[in-house]
Amino acid sequence: MSSKHVIIVIITHLFTKFLKTFLLLISFILHKADSGYNNNSIGTSIFQRPYHYDQIVSSLQKLPLEGSLSLSNNDAVASDFGNIYHFPPLAVLNPVSVSDISRAIKHVMELSEPGLKVAARGHGHSLQGQSQAEGGIVINMESLAEKTAAVVVVNNGEFVPYVDVSAGELWINILHETLKHGLAPKSWTDYLHLTVGGTLSNAGISGQAFRHGPQINNVFQLEVVTGKGEVVTCSETRNTELYYSVLGGLGQFGIITRARISLEAAPKMVKWIRMLYSEFSMFARDQEHLISLENTFDYIEGFVIINRTGILNNWRSSFNPRDPIQASQFISDGRTFYCLEVAKYFNPDESQFMNQIVENLLSELSYIPWTLFQSEVSYVQFLDRVHVSEKQLRSKGLWEVPHPWLNLLIPRTHIHHFAQEVFGNILKDTSNGPILIYPVNQTRWNRKTSLVTPEEDIFYLVAFLSSAMPLARGSESLEHILTQNKRILEFCTNAKLGVKQYLPHYTTQEEWKAHFGSKWEAFVQRKTAYDPLALLAPGQRIFQKALSTSC
């Protein structure tokens, strides 16, 4: 063979290898595109069909359902508000009745197919894929929400008003419906476009929790479909163990389908006030003082502001400064401030009396005088305040981005150490979103539920509500924020602060055991009783197998 022929053979061989590599690369890229791959995602999967997929699908299609079963175009439920994990299901159930949910769960039990799990999804506001079921069945709970008005019972024999609602109903709709009767739920979340079942499976915490406890403390009765498919009504006096299990139970013991929510007389108006502190010690002292009083504000929260320009000017669109001249000269650049946010409810004919109470309370506080801003808004405007921000972010394309949120419950005795390290070192230059911080009273929380909190009488909720910018690098990237969150958690662990995660996220059962601590054994016993095959809420990653083999 001549040297010319050898060169041609070599070139042909190299070109063939290049072409194969190129085609593989194109295939890989298209494969990721088809699976909804996102550069900002850290958990993405393509559903691998089991070998007897057709038989499973056929059996599901034969179920006598009042609602419908979707086997395609289910991309929306393979994501959530966190926008970090993306796991496609086998099917989505759109139930019309509780019987639909019960039949589906019983059928999955009978199939005993490894990996075929069931997740309830409300408004899709979970953060770490908790409402997803990779290769399983996602139940669209909003499909269960009633189209008719909620029924409010004003007198149940004990003069305690309540409302019976579907667990797939949004809190904002419950607010509007109950206000027709001059009533409203006592305890809220900061964002009302969440479903009842979703918040009750966690806790439901906002600035009213210091007085009324979380939302799970303000429920009279529940209807639940257990992991066995049984439909059970439960309360403090009926099927008590299940009642306390599902409240704050992360969806592990049953799917809440109805709830009876405690109500109170609703005010018409809210006086809404913000003020700044430069010292964390005074900020925390004043917060703790306010929640200790009997006659105090109706809502008490706070947030941390790190290296922000024009803080007070940004408030002017919604609030009025008490001292406009001094406020206009206030410089916040390069500094960390702590904002105390409070609200007092009132009716128009009580305005003068309300203002006197507010002035008395403010006179006991040590805020920077010229940073006090206030506004009077309707009760609905105040409670639905976050929705205004949502609309603004959506209009800019900044709502459906990754949200690597971190929510912590921190004992009062360690909050100063936490603040010094986190706000003075880890986050000293910037933050990637709001940082909420406020204390609550343990005495107002029912310890019988599945929710885990620090042991002290007073503990703080600290919520890092970060957003990662799409395709960003550096401090605005998902990777940076997740690394930052890891640093915060490692500090809490190494310093032995006794911190508990709220809306917890762990990847191993050992981590979950540490989270639940002394409650772990009871948690496992409840799982064994109500969901022995570990079918429910696989996205929490607590129990991966049936209880007989996992514990």
Side-chain angles (χ1 to χ4, degrees), residues 6 17 35 50 67 77 80 93 97 105 117 214 225 279 288 319 329 337 340 346 363 366 393-394 428 440 460 522:
V6 171
K17 287 187 68 176
S35 69
V77 301
D80 56 20
L93 172 63
S97 66
I105 293 176
K117 308 287 186 178
V225 181
E279 298 293 332
E288 291 175 20
F319 297 85
Q329 298 172 358
F337 291 94
L340 175 59
F346 69 101
S363 69
S366 302
L393 290 171
R394 282 190 183 278
K428 63 182 178 181
V440 294
Y460 279 73

Side-chain angles (χ1 to χ4, degrees), residues 32 151 446 457-458:
K32 284 189 172 183
V151 178
N446 194 321
D457 289 341
I458 295 176

